[in-house]
């Protein structure tokens, strides 16, 4: 029987999986590297940190708005500097290129983890594409931050540790090299974003070996040597930071940025059930696989007997699935125990979830695949209808553009999935990839830029820059540090909410341009008469006021 066009396309892709993953990311990001402004809050802050790294030479310890920035290590910014050097792109385009390439590395890492478990090239490629067709992943390919690279390094580390501890053929003497490599890569992950880079692999490894009754292998010289490699990599930056900024900076990193954020954070504090809502939402549309999966087996005693029976089984499939499930569950518990919780922290869970999903998808019969296709079609149909009515349904202070096109893509995707519902799992995955790619290309080009006026501080920052060029002193009151600096082009004097201190500065600086939250502006008792508002902008979740003062004498003469 002759193979269809869809089947021939899949055959070509699975024969060249690395090129296929590269093509998928390229299609989702091509010609979209400078379609919008940098957004509040991380994008503009990281842009300023990168700018300072180049301009002030702060290559070891980053600086934000002219002050040491202990929140993030420098590896990701070095990665951006490399891209800046070897490509013709300049900031901010190079920031979006960094996000796209980091996403590609996440797909590569997912593929590598699947192959380390001896899954076929076809299943491994499907795993990477499952990850890449998550609407959340497709979206953050266009968001400039280091979390995609962070997640990719964590998954690469877990792939190495699987070879070192779990693979039946390399878990003994030949697996030592893999173990050392895994801990070293985890050290690089820590230097990208922080200690979760080692905690994710370590907690998952402990859960796996504990379940298998192999605690002695965790408490072994191999693990000790691996932790030694990790410490060498991670401590290199700590030693350099100590030499550059001194012990107070290092104490801030360990106490405020690590310990306090984990136990009692001042920022992004959420309850223990936060990720029970976030993970299903970010994993869409693949969360809908639950409608096709045999979840009823969870209530059967025989299922749990089989799970217990597989604890010590050495087959590739049993070992791999156990590793994936326990790493995903351990990571979920770890995140839920932290005081600070952010949506994007779930990314390292996506690789094991994608591999489990792809492997199951290829095992399901036709009835389950049809059920999944129906679930996808209904979801995209409802999503398309919601997008078409977006300006009526969403209480935004700006009108979104291009919604008919973006919503139409979702509706066409729903129709395509419905038409292909009886086809092979590979065809279903290709249709989904095509639909998600068409959606992100359309949305990023015609809809997302219309959010700039409420998501980017560019308007206020650039207006501040104009006043700075005229000799005004830039001042900000009670803002998230660094959000206006990139677009203003100069460091800003940032003050806490203290009206007396603010009034002292206004008296000391005759010509001042001030930005503050509107709620503080409205509540300011005895606000100086010489301050006159020149701009009000709603940014992210609240309005900000930009005001200027030419000094009491100048304002009196104007009157």
């Amino acid at each position: 029987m002759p193979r269809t066009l869809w089947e021939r396309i899949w055959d070509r892709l699975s024969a060249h999986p690395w090129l296929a993953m590269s093509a998928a990311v390229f299609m989702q990001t091509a010609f979209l590297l400078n379609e919008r402004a940098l957004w509040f809050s991380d994008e503009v802050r990281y842009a300023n940190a990168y700018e300072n790294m180049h301009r002030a030479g702060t290559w070891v310890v980053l600086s934000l708005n002219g002050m040491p920035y202990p929140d993030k290590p420098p590896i990701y910014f070095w990665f951006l500097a490399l891209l800046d050097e070897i490509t013709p792109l300049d900031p901010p385009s190079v920031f979006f290129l960094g996000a796209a390439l980091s996403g590609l590395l996440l797909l590569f890492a997912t593929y590598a983890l699947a192959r380390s478990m001896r899954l076929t090239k076809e299943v491994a490629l499907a795993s990477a594409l499952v990850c890449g067709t998550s609407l959340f992943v497709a979206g953050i390919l266009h968001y400039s931050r280091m979390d995609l690279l962070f997640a990719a390094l964590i998954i690469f580390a877990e792939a190495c540790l699987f070879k070192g501890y779990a693979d039946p053929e390399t878990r003994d003497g030949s697996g030592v090299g893999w173990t050392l490599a895994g801990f070293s890569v985890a050290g690089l992950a820590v230097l990208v974003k922080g200690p979760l880079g080692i905690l994710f692999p370590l907690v998952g490894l402990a859960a796996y070996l504990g379940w298998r009754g192999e605690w002695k292998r965790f408490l072994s010289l191999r693990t000790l040597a691996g932790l030694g490699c990790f410490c060498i990599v991670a401590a290199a930056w700590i030693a350099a930071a100590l030499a550059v900024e001194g012990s107070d900076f290092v104490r801030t990193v360990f106490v405020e940025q690590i310990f306090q954020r984990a136990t009692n954070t001042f920022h992004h504090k959420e309850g223990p059930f936060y990720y029970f809502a976030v993970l299903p939402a970010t994993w869409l549309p693949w969360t809908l696989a639950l409608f096709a999966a045999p979840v009823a087996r969870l209530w059967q005693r025989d299922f749990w007997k089989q799970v217990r029976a597989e604890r010590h089984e050495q087959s590739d499939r049993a070992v791999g699935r156990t590793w994936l499930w326990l790493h995903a569950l351990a990571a979920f518990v770890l995140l839920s125990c932290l005081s600070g919780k952010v949506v994007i922290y779930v990314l390292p869970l996506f690789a094991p979830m994608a591999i489990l999903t792809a492997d199951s998808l290829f095992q399901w019969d036709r009835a389950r695949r049809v059920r999944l296709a129906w679930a996808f079609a209904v979801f995209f149909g409802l999503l398309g209808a919601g997008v078409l009515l977006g300006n009526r349904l969403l209480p935004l202070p700006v009108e979104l553009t291009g919604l008919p096109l973006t919503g139409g893509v979702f509706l066409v995707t729903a129709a395509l999935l419905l038409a292909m519902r009886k086809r092979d799992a590979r065809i279903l995955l290709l249709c989904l990839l095509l639909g998600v790619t068409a959606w992100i290309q359309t949305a990023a080009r015609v809809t997302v830029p219309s959010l700039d006026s409420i998501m980017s501080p560019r308007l206020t920052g650039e207006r501040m820059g104009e006043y700075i060029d005229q000799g005004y002193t830039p001042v900000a009151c009670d803002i998230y540090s660094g959000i206006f600096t990139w677009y203003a082009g100069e460091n800003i004097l940032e003050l806490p909410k203290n009206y007396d201190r603010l009034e002292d500065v206004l008296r000391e600086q005759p010509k001042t341009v001030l930005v503050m939250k509107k709620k503080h502006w409205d509540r300011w008792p005895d606000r100086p008469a010489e301050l006159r508002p020149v701009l009000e902008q709603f940014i992210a979740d609240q309005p900000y006021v930009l005001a200027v003062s030419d000094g009491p004498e100048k304002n009196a003469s104007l009157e």
Side-chain angles (χ1 to χ4, degrees):
M1 182 177 179
R3 299 182 67 77
T4 66
L5 175 62
W6 290 100
E7 291 170 332
R8 292 198 299 272
I9 292 174
W10 178 264
D11 290 343
R12 292 289 182 89
L13 294 177
S14 59
H16 306 283
W18 302 101
L19 289 177
M21 290 181 282
S22 301
V25 172
F26 176 80
M27 289 190 299
Q28 290 189 5
T29 58
F31 314 113
L32 297 174
L33 299 181
N34 199 20
E35 287 294 316
R36 64 170 177 84
L38 297 177
W39 282 4
F40 175 97
S41 64
D42 289 330
E43 284 191 333
V44 284
R45 285 158 52 84
Y46 295 162
N48 179 237
Y50 178 81
E51 178 186 40
N52 290 335
M53 186 178 72
H54 267 281
R55 187 168 60 185
T58 55
W59 291 85
V60 175
V61 174
L62 301 173
S63 66
L64 181 68
N65 194 51
M67 300 296 292
Y69 182 46
D71 292 39
K72 299 293 181 290
I75 289 288
Y76 182 71
F77 298 88
W78 295 353
F79 170 62
L80 294 179
L82 176 63
L83 296 179
D84 201 350
E85 184 69 25
I86 65 176
T87 70
L89 298 178
D90 295 315
S93 296
V94 75
F95 302 153
F96 294 108
L97 176 63
L101 292 180
S102 297
L104 178 59
L105 287 175
L106 177 60
L107 299 195
F108 284 175
T110 303
Y111 180 87
L113 180 59
R115 290 293 287 159
S116 73
M117 298 172 176
R118 293 192 176 82
L119 293 174
T120 65
K121 286 185 178 181
E122 189 174 50
V123 174
L125 174 61
S127 302
L129 296 183
V130 166
C131 185
T133 50
S134 155
L135 297 181
F136 182 67
V137 171
I140 60 173
L141 286 175
H142 303 265
Y143 192 72
S144 175
R145 55 184 296 159
M146 68 282 297
D147 295 85
L148 285 166
L149 179 60
F150 182 59
L153 290 173
I154 289 172
I155 301 308
F156 275 125
E158 291 179 355
C160 292
L161 293 178
F162 177 84
K163 298 292 288 185
Y165 284 92
D167 190 328
E169 294 188 9
T170 60
R171 54 179 280 166
D172 297 323
S174 60
V176 174
W178 286 109
T179 300
L180 301 183
F183 279 102
S184 299
V185 174
L188 289 177
V190 168
L191 295 185
V192 168
K193 190 171 173 70
L196 284 176
I198 182 63
L199 289 178
F200 273 121
L202 202 60
V203 170
L205 176 62
Y208 172 80
L209 293 178
W211 171 254
R212 302 272 296 185
E214 300 177 1
W215 269 109
K216 290 183 178 180
R217 300 187 64 236
F218 184 76
L219 305 172
S220 64
L221 290 176
R222 176 185 301 194
T223 304
L224 186 62
L227 289 172
C229 289
F230 161 76
C231 289
I232 290 173
V233 174
W237 176 68
I238 297 297
L242 182 64
V244 172
E245 291 292 339
S247 59
D248 287 343
F249 176 84
V250 174
R251 189 179 302 110
T252 299
V253 170
F254 280 97
V255 176
E256 295 181 12
Q257 298 301 320
I258 296 178
F259 179 74
Q260 290 183 0
R261 283 197 172 194
T263 58
N264 188 23
T265 186
F266 62 93
H267 197 44
H268 299 302
K269 191 170 186 176
E270 301 289 348
F273 300 106
Y274 176 78
Y275 288 110
F276 283 90
V278 165
L279 185 59
T282 54
W283 189 232
L284 286 169
W286 289 103
T287 308
L288 302 174
L290 292 173
F291 287 101
V295 292
R297 293 186 60 200
L298 295 174
W299 311 109
Q300 298 174 1
R301 185 176 300 177
D302 290 343
F303 171 77
W304 295 107
K305 287 183 178 179
Q306 181 182 350
V307 170
R308 289 194 296 271
E310 289 183 354
R311 284 184 63 188
H312 303 291
E313 188 175 331
Q314 292 298 322
S315 69
D316 290 340
R317 181 175 179 80
V319 169
R321 290 182 70 86
T322 301
W323 177 278
L324 294 170
W325 273 112
L326 289 175
H327 268 69
L329 290 172
F332 185 85
V333 172
L334 171 64
L335 290 177
S336 297
C337 290
L338 297 178
S339 176
K341 297 178 176 66
V342 181
V343 172
I344 209 164
Y345 287 178
V346 300
L347 275 178
L349 280 73
F350 280 18
M353 291 166 58
I355 298 171
L356 289 167
T357 300
D359 188 45
S360 298
L361 186 62
F362 278 39
Q363 303 294 324
W364 285 348
D365 58 24
R366 181 175 177 178
R368 294 193 184 280
R369 295 198 304 271
V370 170
R371 198 182 309 166
L372 179 61
W374 268 105
F376 281 172
V378 171
F379 169 72
F380 281 106
L382 292 174
L383 198 57
V387 169
L388 290 175
L389 299 173
N391 283 319
R392 297 181 182 180
L393 298 177
L394 297 176
L396 296 176
V398 64
E399 183 172 347
L400 299 177
T401 60
L403 292 185
L405 280 174
T406 305
V409 169
F410 280 137
L411 294 177
V412 171
T413 301
L416 179 61
L417 290 167
L418 200 57
M420 297 292 179
R421 65 187 183 279
K422 296 182 180 180
R423 304 295 292 273
D424 187 81
R426 300 158 183 81
I427 311 306
L428 181 65
L429 185 54
L430 284 179
C431 291
L432 184 61
L433 175 62
L434 182 62
V436 170
T437 300
W439 160 69
I440 197 62
Q441 277 283 342
T442 304
R445 193 175 300 276
V446 302
T447 300
V448 174
S450 63
L451 289 168
D452 278 357
S453 62
I454 62 170
M455 290 302 297
S456 173
R458 178 178 182 174
L459 179 62
T460 299
E462 289 184 344
R463 182 70 68 86
M464 287 189 79
E466 293 173 3
Y467 281 101
I468 292 170
D469 291 340
Q470 298 173 34
Y472 286 75
T473 299
V475 180
C477 175
D478 191 35
I479 66 165
Y480 201 23
S481 181
I483 60 172
F484 295 107
T485 310
W486 164 262
Y487 281 116
E490 291 289 342
N491 292 331
I492 297 171
L493 176 60
E494 296 177 346
L495 303 174
K497 192 185 72 172
N498 185 319
Y499 294 122
D500 292 336
R501 170 68 177 130
L502 187 54
E503 290 169 10
D504 289 341
V505 170
L506 293 174
R507 282 191 291 268
E508 294 167 2
Q509 303 292 338
K511 297 179 64 175
T512 305
V513 55
L514 167 70
V515 62
M516 65 191 309
K517 297 170 184 175
K518 189 175 187 298
K519 62 182 180 181
H520 297 329
W521 172 269
D522 292 337
R523 297 170 187 169
W524 190 348
D526 302 321
R527 187 172 61 235
E530 62 267 21
L531 267 179
R532 51 189 175 88
V534 295
L535 178 67
E536 182 177 318
Q537 183 188 4
F538 187 95
I539 305 174
D541 61 351
Q542 61 184 309
Y544 290 75
V545 171
L546 184 70
V548 297
S549 170
D550 297 302
E553 296 181 0
K554 180 65 177 291
N555 279 278
S557 66
L558 290 175
E559 293 175 0

